[in-house]
Amino acid sequence: MKNEEKLIIYQVFTRLFGNNNSGCINNGDIHTNGCGKMADFTPKALKEIKKLGTTHIWYTGVIEHATQTDYSAYHIHPDHPAIVKGKAGSPYAIKDYYDIDPDIATRVPERMKEFEQLVARTHKAGLKVIIDFVPNHVARQYHSDAQPDGTVELGANDDMTCSFSPYNNFYYIPQSELRGQFDMKAGADEAYKEYPAKATGNNRFDAYPNISDWYETIKLNYGVDYQNGGTCSFSPIPDTWLKMLDILLFWSSKQVDAFRCDMAEMVPVEFWEWAIPQVKEAYPHLLFIAEVYNPDEYHNYLQRGRFDYLYDKVGLYDTLRNVSCGYDSATAITRSWQNLGGIEKRMLNFLENHDEQRIASDFFVGNPYKAIPALIVSACMNTNPMMIYFGQEFGEMGMDTEGFSGRDGRTTIFDYWSVDTIRRWRNEGTFDGKLLTKEQKSIYALYRTILTIASQEKAIAQGLFFDLMYANQNGWRFNEHKQYTFLRKYNNELLFIAVNFDNQPVDVAINIPSHAFDFLQIPQMDVYKATDLLTGKVEEICLLPYKATEFSIGTYGGKILKIKL
């Protein structure tokens, strides 16, 4: 699979983006704290997002999910508060696979039309659209108000006397009532009732989920009998497979460009092997990105499951986080990509997303500048996609105590809230930067430069990669624990990239082995003019196998030296 374009993905939590309320209160409802809308993604907003080098926007949380906000006036069945996390609810507790979340609509009855307009606006801005597909679990009170004619609701024909049947959409605990180990009333007059109890989304097959479980969700049945050794019943095709294919085709028809598939490894690979080719036959341009955390399953979900890209969480993300925090050596970066065994071009790189702690939070490095070396490595070391999370480009700290989401260094996905840096940047939709601090402007300028380089330089988007670390162990003027260096090349353009994870500037002397000259076909020369793409400054360097290349790198900095061969 070859992409001429390097994907730069901007993940944005849709309901938080446009919320201008600077006075949100802990656990406030939608009326007190407010809520952003799809309409906040104006042509101006999209143009500004594109300036980062962005190619794709992942609109997180657009499909209708369980909430404590009452939309019964619009014929949407209310959810019991005991099984909704936070006032706004989790975007991964899907309540209606065929509908748009009413929170993000300006006019609730027009919510699907507003989504279609958002997709059209995004495309007009030269950007592509990613949405979530959440296949493993749904909200406990799943009910579709928008079910298309000719389709049957999940669970409608289930035999609830069976704990498992390939014809069922859910797993049941027969003759047992749900006895959650959490507040089953949560302020309501009556406790939440579920009989028979259904298995919980994180593979909990009893009636007693607790507060640390995905208690607000129920597990979907793809034909795997987990309680009896994981035996599979895939023939005839399980009913859930057919229903989920219909859902994928429904959203594909809305002109989206990609699906980010939540917890894809909790759904059998056989389903993906069956479904993805059918979707791509009708919509060949569609991309499928899988959230998979088990490296032993990577090849399986790429090759057999037909995914285009996988999250690189337990590899590069964890490694760069540890190196940035000083817990690991920069030599671990080499081990990280080598451990992928040739699939590194199929991994999605990131330093933040909705699940992870913010870089600038007290729980990560506490300073957005400290992650700039990691950003350069993540964005520039291969041709694969790079993703950032909205606010990351301004050093958003994520240190609010929002409600259900405590002060944990993450931006809430459960509460009605407003994101300080995004609100400052938007400035009532003007995007004039007047409310941003000097540091926020500085961080943004770095992100915009690095991501634009990653998306526009062919040596990064399409070129070859050569890791120089093996030739620089115990170097004369190179600390392999605090610096990382590599080459990228396309035709007659060479990028010499080096980063410094140290808290002080360094003068480095980097060895380029003979094999690099042969592999990349680099002409040896004592003096080359090199332009640092990060600053525009020109310097002279040598490219020789018997003489180290010398230059300086700033504190928590990097160099991307471009050389015309």
Side-chain angles (χ1 to χ4, degrees):
M1 193 184 97
K2 187 177 178 185
N3 248 318
E4 297 299 310
E5 173 187 63
K6 184 178 176 80
L7 277 59
I8 306 292
I9 299 169
Y10 189 83
Q11 183 193 359
V12 58
F13 201 73
T14 313
R15 72 162 171 256
L16 298 185
F17 178 80
N19 190 359
N20 286 328
N21 186 0
S22 59
C24 291
I25 64 168
N26 180 272
N27 209 34
D29 62 20
I30 193 169
H31 306 293
T32 303
N33 284 5
C35 184
K37 308 295 179 185
M38 290 180 282
D40 295 317
F41 294 91
T42 61
K44 173 70 171 169
L46 295 166
K47 182 181 177 182
E48 293 298 320
I49 290 169
K50 194 172 192 293
K51 282 182 182 176
L52 269 172
T54 307
T55 60
H56 291 64
I57 301 184
W58 167 14
Y59 291 111
T60 306
V62 297
I63 298 179
E64 186 184 326
H65 56 265
T67 179
Q68 293 191 39
T69 302
D70 186 355
Y71 286 102
S72 54
Y74 301 98
H75 310 293
I76 296 172
H77 193 273
D79 300 290
H80 194 288
I83 50 162
V84 181
K85 288 182 176 176
K87 284 286 193 290
S90 167
Y92 296 101
I94 298 295
K95 181 176 164 181
D96 187 345
Y97 273 122
Y98 288 101
D99 212 347
I100 291 294
D101 195 68
D103 275 350
I104 58 173
T106 307
R107 297 186 69 251
V108 174
E110 303 291 320
R111 56 194 182 276
M112 184 60 76
K113 185 178 179 182
E114 287 185 25
F115 174 73
E116 292 164 352
Q117 291 168 342
L118 174 64
V119 172
R121 258 194 330 276
T122 306
H123 286 160
K124 190 172 182 181
L127 295 161
K128 293 181 179 176
V129 173
I130 303 173
I131 65 168
D132 282 289
F133 175 55
V134 187
N136 176 63
H137 48 266
V138 295
R140 290 208 96 94
Q141 288 183 297
Y142 182 89
H143 173 67
S144 178
D145 305 296
Q147 190 89 27
D149 292 341
T151 58
V152 179
E153 179 155 297
L154 286 164
N157 297 325
D158 279 10
D159 179 353
M160 292 186 281
T161 65
C162 297
S163 60
F164 168 78
S165 163
Y167 304 105
N168 281 355
N169 298 136
F170 301 118
Y171 297 92
Y172 296 90
I173 297 93
Q175 300 177 327
S176 297
E177 186 173 348
L178 184 74
R179 301 287 185 189
Q181 306 305 297
F182 51 88
D183 184 355
M184 293 281 282
K185 287 185 79 171
D189 293 336
E190 300 285 335
Y192 173 68
K193 294 279 195 295
E194 185 178 293
Y195 184 89
K198 301 181 183 76
T200 299
N202 58 320
N203 290 8
R204 177 131 192 191
F205 295 93
D206 63 36
Y208 310 102
N210 62 47
I211 200 76
S212 62
D213 288 309
W214 303 349
Y215 65 84
E216 81 281 25
T217 69
I218 46 178
K219 173 84 174 173
L220 281 166
N221 171 6
Y222 284 81
V224 181
D225 189 356
Y226 291 97
Q227 293 172 284
N228 289 294
T231 54
C232 301
S233 302
F234 297 152
S235 182
I237 297 297
D239 185 69
T240 302
W241 290 27
L242 300 168
K243 287 186 167 75
M244 300 313 273
L245 177 61
D246 282 344
I247 291 159
L248 281 167
L249 291 169
F250 172 83
W251 289 106
S252 300
S253 74
K254 300 294 180 185
Q255 311 304 314
V256 302
D257 301 287
F259 293 104
R260 176 268 187 189
C261 300
D262 184 70
M263 295 310 296
E265 68 183 305
M266 293 184 77
V267 172
V269 73
E270 290 85 354
F271 165 74
W272 302 112
E273 179 184 29
W274 173 83
I276 289 177
Q278 293 185 72
V279 177
K280 288 199 171 200
E281 187 176 354
Y283 302 93
H285 70 285
L286 266 168
L287 294 176
F288 282 81
I289 302 166
E291 183 185 24
V292 176
Y293 293 125
N294 180 3
D296 293 338
E297 291 291 340
Y298 284 178
H299 285 80
N300 198 22
Y301 277 75
L302 283 172
Q303 290 157 13
R304 189 175 176 188
R306 311 293 184 89
F307 277 97
D308 296 290
Y309 299 106
L310 309 180
Y311 262 40
D312 198 354
K313 158 69 173 76
V314 299
L316 192 64
Y317 168 85
D318 284 350
T319 299
L320 288 173
R321 177 169 177 148
N322 286 337
V323 175
S324 298
C325 292
Y327 306 146
D328 209 343
S329 163
T331 57
I333 300 169
T334 301
R335 292 196 300 274
S336 175
W337 71 259
Q338 287 177 340
N339 286 341
L340 290 169
I343 60 169
E344 53 272 13
K345 293 179 182 177
R346 306 280 297 278
M347 305 303 287
L348 169 68
N349 294 350
F350 60 89
L351 294 175
E352 285 190 5
N353 65 36
H354 65 278
D355 285 322
E356 308 302 337
Q357 288 165 327
R358 294 286 195 174
I359 289 163
S361 76
D362 297 350
F363 300 92
F364 201 146
V365 287
N367 175 349
Y369 289 105
K370 288 187 179 181
I372 293 302
L375 177 70
I376 294 170
V377 171
S378 199
C380 299
M381 74 183 295
N382 224 311
T383 58
N384 55 332
M386 176 67 192
M387 181 176 79
I388 71 161
Y389 190 39
F390 81 131
Q392 178 184 342
E393 71 272 34
F394 301 108
E396 175 62 40
M397 293 179 68
M399 290 298 293
D400 297 331
T401 307
E402 300 103 333
F404 185 87
S405 181
R407 200 166 185 266
D408 59 0
R410 296 176 178 86
T411 293
T412 182
I413 63 170
F414 307 108
D415 305 284
Y416 295 109
W417 203 252
S418 179
V419 180
D420 179 66
T421 55
I422 294 295
R423 191 176 63 248
R424 288 169 177 268
W425 173 51
R426 290 184 66 256
N427 194 13
E428 307 284 347
T430 62
F431 297 93
D432 58 13
K434 286 181 179 177
L435 300 183
L436 292 169
T437 67
K438 186 177 177 182
E439 181 183 80
Q440 288 163 354
K441 290 176 183 177
S442 170
I443 290 291
Y444 173 78
L446 282 167
Y447 269 82
R448 182 171 169 179
T449 300
I450 292 163
L451 295 173
T452 300
I453 290 167
S455 66
Q456 292 185 356
E457 289 294 329
K458 287 193 172 183
I460 294 173
Q462 300 177 47
L464 298 170
F465 165 81
F466 194 98
D467 192 315
L468 293 170
M469 293 296 280
Y470 79 92
N472 289 279
Q473 293 176 16
N474 305 310
W476 164 52
R477 276 190 2 231
F478 186 86
N479 181 349
E480 73 266 31
H481 305 303
K482 290 293 184 182
Q483 283 103 48
Y484 181 73
T485 183
F486 57 98
L487 301 172
R488 300 299 309 274
K489 180 171 181 285
Y490 183 84
N491 291 343
N492 68 333
E493 295 180 348
L494 180 74
L495 297 185
F496 196 144
I497 303 175
V499 299
N500 177 28
F501 290 94
D502 210 347
N503 61 0
Q504 55 193 7
V506 292
D507 296 320
V508 295
I510 298 172
N511 298 314
I512 307 176
S514 297
H515 178 54
F517 287 90
D518 297 337
F519 178 71
L520 298 176
Q521 298 183 301
I522 304 169
Q524 298 177 24
M525 196 176 294
D526 197 39
V527 179
Y528 270 107
K529 283 201 182 304
T531 303
D532 183 1
L533 297 180
L534 294 173
T535 63
K537 292 180 181 175
V538 177
E539 51 191 283
E540 292 184 346
I541 62 169
C542 73
L543 293 178
L544 297 167
Y546 53 82
K547 183 180 178 183
T549 304
E550 299 182 34
F551 50 83
S552 60
I553 317 174
T555 303
Y556 304 126
K559 281 242 167 117
I560 303 177
L561 295 172
K562 184 173 184 177
I563 302 127
K564 294 274 190 181
L565 303 175

